[in-house]
Amino acid sequence: MSSYDYDYLVIGGGSGGIASAKRAASYGKKVAVIEKARLGGTCVNVGCVPKKVMWSAATVADTLKHDAHHYGFSGGVEAASTLDWPKLKAARDAYVLRLNGIYASGFTKAGVEDIRGEATFVDANTVEVKAEDGSIKTVTSDKILVATGGRPHIPAGDGVAENVISSDGFFDLEELPKVAVVVGAGYIAVELAGVLNSLGTEVHLVVRKAKALRDFDPMISDALDTEMIKAGVHIHRNTGGISKIEVGEDGKKQVTTVSGDTLYGADVVLMAPGRIPNVEYLNLDKAGVELSHKNHITVDEYSNTSADNIYALGDVCGKVELTPMAIAAGRRLADRLFGPEKYKNAKVSYDLVPTVVFTHPTIGTIGLTEPKAVDKYGAESVKVYTSKFADSHYGIFQVDPENKPKTHMKVICAGEEEKVVGIHVIGKGSDEMMQGFGVALKMGATKADLDSCIAIHPTAGEELVTMGTWGTSPPFSGAKDSPLNGAPPSEPTLKSRI
């Protein structure tokens, strides 16, 4: 019998921690999760889930304002102006609350104990938990996972901290602001700027340098910049960030940038310059867990920390900060620690992770950008295919073709076999088409493999399998069973019935 209270103790009830805990419990282990806030972590409560609700609402507004009359419907602009923000917020919050309950009932079904409170390490096997009522209890575990996630970073500045909201605070807004200043150049900033703009707010996006999403492929960042301007977002460039925020007698905020520019009349200033890991209260030094220079927990490819029995994953580690990545890492860690022999070396890959940015229009991307592909393989070994077109949705619009929203696509190939090392799309439907192409890249697809798949017409996705002079790429396949030159699909291996 174990001398510890638990076989596996998970600190953090977000998506990654919950997934790992439930997988460990499925192997018959005694498992508990410690969480001080609502179950589900950032994604469920103040991230992906409520953000997608707001993006969907904004997309409805855009359709009413810009598309409906082209299809013979009248009154769209007027309808878009009737948004009942409190009703939308109540429905969204109820949805999130329902998900919180699903997570809680999932613990019960899986046999995972739910411990409420803030966790602090006493030593490598002992954790002190302080409940909301101030009571303290101590628990021990053979193995411990830290999956505490991250939180929005609010930079220093005169009057900044007390006069801004973070991306978390966005979901607490009781009404749609008339004027909003959004500070940041990452995906959170551009997503929320797009939502507010589409719903009717005057939006000012403040970026430190020349444009947003600078780490994305230049085609993506440039195209988004163009679309945001066309949509009416005011972009303030090369500002160096925010230095000061003052509040006038009318309650409006005056925002001063490091470069000296001043923005007047803001109802809301939303800071989204980045996120930082939740580690301060954990006392990780008492457990022998090392941190990086950015305060992320240092881990290897197997989620091992510097302490033999302590593991970490998700945003607290700063590696591919995406919910599905944390879920996969959590499950694989539990497989390796508690599963059968076949999982003794189980781990996840942080390479070729598809991701979507819910901007207006959406962005889907996987793999290397063009500059990174050139840096890695050399310009002479990289071939790039691109396409720019108006989606068929806009075909009947009676406007100048140049003014129709554009979809931009790029397929980046490397080597003699033209192995696909990156796909980048911005435009209508890119969020839904990227998952399948992600599978193709994970399996080693070449340009010829893409060409071998017959296009689905009429769709935007067909453009990704018809780029260039179709069917003329080098005849190499990344598939185990090549689909090239009309080859039939392979058959599955069946169990013998004898």
Side-chain angles (χ1 to χ4, degrees):
M1 179 178 292
S2 173
S3 59
Y4 299 109
D5 298 324
Y6 301 98
D7 299 308
Y8 195 45
L9 183 63
V10 177
I11 303 175
S15 300
I18 289 173
S20 194
K22 291 173 69 174
R23 182 62 68 94
S26 74
Y27 291 121
K29 300 302 177 181
K30 188 176 182 182
V31 181
V33 172
I34 303 172
E35 174 55 58
K36 63 178 181 177
R38 293 181 291 173
L39 291 177
T42 295
C43 178
V44 169
N45 295 294
V46 288
C48 332
V49 172
K51 180 270 304 287
K52 183 67 181 291
V53 171
M54 300 307 289
W55 175 86
S56 296
T59 300
V60 171
D62 279 343
T63 300
L64 290 170
K65 289 186 290 185
H66 306 303
D67 299 1
H69 66 284
H70 291 291
Y71 278 90
F73 295 93
S74 60
V77 174
E78 292 78 11
S81 67
T82 64
L83 169 66
D84 186 336
W85 180 278
K87 182 177 181 179
L88 172 60
K89 182 179 186 300
R92 183 198 70 209
D93 293 351
Y95 175 40
V96 170
L97 188 62
R98 189 162 69 251
L99 294 177
N100 295 148
I102 289 172
Y103 275 121
S105 62
F107 277 173
T108 301
K109 293 176 182 177
V112 174
E113 185 176 343
D114 182 8
I115 301 175
R116 313 302 296 176
E118 183 173 278
T120 302
F121 277 97
V122 176
D123 59 42
N125 295 99
T126 308
V127 172
E128 190 175 82
V129 183
K130 183 177 181 179
E132 191 173 0
D133 62 6
S135 62
I136 295 175
K137 74 172 184 177
T138 300
V139 294
T140 61
S141 181
D142 180 27
K143 301 181 187 302
I144 300 176
L145 169 65
V146 180
T148 48
R151 65 184 186 278
H153 169 58
I154 304 298
D158 185 12
V160 172
E162 57 268 40
N163 292 309
V164 303
I165 64 171
S166 67
S167 56
D168 291 2
F170 169 81
F171 298 104
D172 292 326
L173 289 174
E174 297 293 339
E175 60 183 10
L176 178 68
K178 291 182 179 179
V179 180
V181 173
V182 179
V183 183
Y187 72 92
I188 296 174
V190 294
E191 286 179 336
L192 297 184
V195 165
L196 289 168
N197 181 68
S198 293
L199 292 178
T201 298
E202 178 187 314
V203 175
H204 295 260
L205 179 65
V206 176
V207 295
R208 285 193 309 113
K209 297 184 180 180
K211 60 181 179 178
L213 300 188
R214 296 186 305 275
D215 290 337
F216 283 63
D217 190 90
M219 178 196 74
I220 296 292
S221 54
D222 289 343
L224 178 64
D225 197 80
T226 298
E227 292 299 330
M228 285 195 297
I229 293 171
K230 287 173 62 177
V233 175
H234 305 274
I235 304 176
H236 303 264
R237 309 174 192 277
N238 299 309
T239 66
I242 301 302
S243 65
K244 180 171 64 175
I245 299 177
E246 300 170 285
V247 181
E249 293 181 1
D250 59 357
K252 301 288 186 178
K253 297 175 176 64
Q254 178 177 309
V255 181
T256 303
T257 69
V258 173
S259 63
D261 295 336
T262 302
L263 289 74
Y264 299 93
D267 298 300
V268 167
V269 180
L270 195 162
M271 296 293 291
R275 295 176 65 82
I276 54 178
N278 290 324
V279 295
E280 291 82 0
Y281 58 89
L282 291 171
N283 284 344
L284 290 168
D285 56 322
K286 291 187 177 181
V289 176
E290 296 177 357
L291 301 177
S292 73
H293 68 286
K294 291 186 176 181
N295 265 4
H296 290 107
I297 296 178
T298 303
V299 293
D300 64 12
E301 59 188 326
Y302 292 95
S303 299
N304 297 314
T305 71
S306 54
D308 289 342
N309 67 306
I310 298 177
Y311 312 89
L313 53 83
D315 291 6
V316 76
C317 301
K319 293 175 63 176
V320 188
E321 297 182 19
L322 297 170
T323 295
M325 188 76 253
I327 291 172
R331 288 173 177 163
R332 275 292 174 250
L333 174 62
D335 289 338
R336 181 172 68 84
L337 297 179
F338 306 112
E341 180 69 13
K342 65 179 180 179
Y343 291 132
K344 68 177 182 179
N345 294 314
K347 62 178 181 178
V348 291
S349 169
Y350 289 90
D351 297 317
L352 293 176
V353 178
T355 189
V356 164
V357 185
F358 286 98
T359 40
H360 293 77
T362 51
I363 295 166
T365 180
I366 181 174
L368 298 176
T369 64
E370 184 176 347
K372 288 183 178 179
V374 169
D375 286 345
K376 184 173 183 177
Y377 300 112
E380 69 284 355
S381 297
V382 173
K383 185 169 184 179
V384 176
Y385 298 85
T386 62
S387 181
K388 175 183 175 182
F389 59 95
D391 190 280
S392 61
H393 174 80
Y394 307 107
I396 67 170
F397 284 26
Q398 297 301 305
V399 298
D400 188 302
E402 284 303 309
N403 291 329
K404 293 181 180 181
K406 298 298 187 294
T407 294
H408 300 252
M409 294 181 171
K410 179 181 287 189
V411 175
I412 303 168
C413 303
E416 295 181 3
E417 65 271 64
E418 290 194 19
K419 181 181 176 67
V420 182
V421 296
I423 294 180
H424 308 277
V425 183
I426 178 171
K428 191 174 182 64
S430 61
D431 50 325
E432 295 295 343
M433 74 178 72
M434 190 50 59
Q435 189 73 74
F437 286 99
V439 173
L441 261 68
K442 291 291 284 187
M443 297 180 70
T446 63
K447 178 62 168 64
D449 286 326
L450 297 186
D451 289 355
S452 75
C453 183
I454 300 301
I456 303 171
H457 183 74
T459 66
E462 68 179 300
E463 199 74 13
L464 288 172
V465 297
T466 57
M467 282 189 183
T469 304
W470 180 88
T472 60
S473 295
F476 294 97
S477 173
K480 178 180 178 182
D481 297 296
S482 174
L484 305 187
N485 299 318
S490 61
E491 296 295 333
T493 301
L494 304 179
K495 290 183 178 180
S496 174
R497 296 183 179 180
I498 300 176

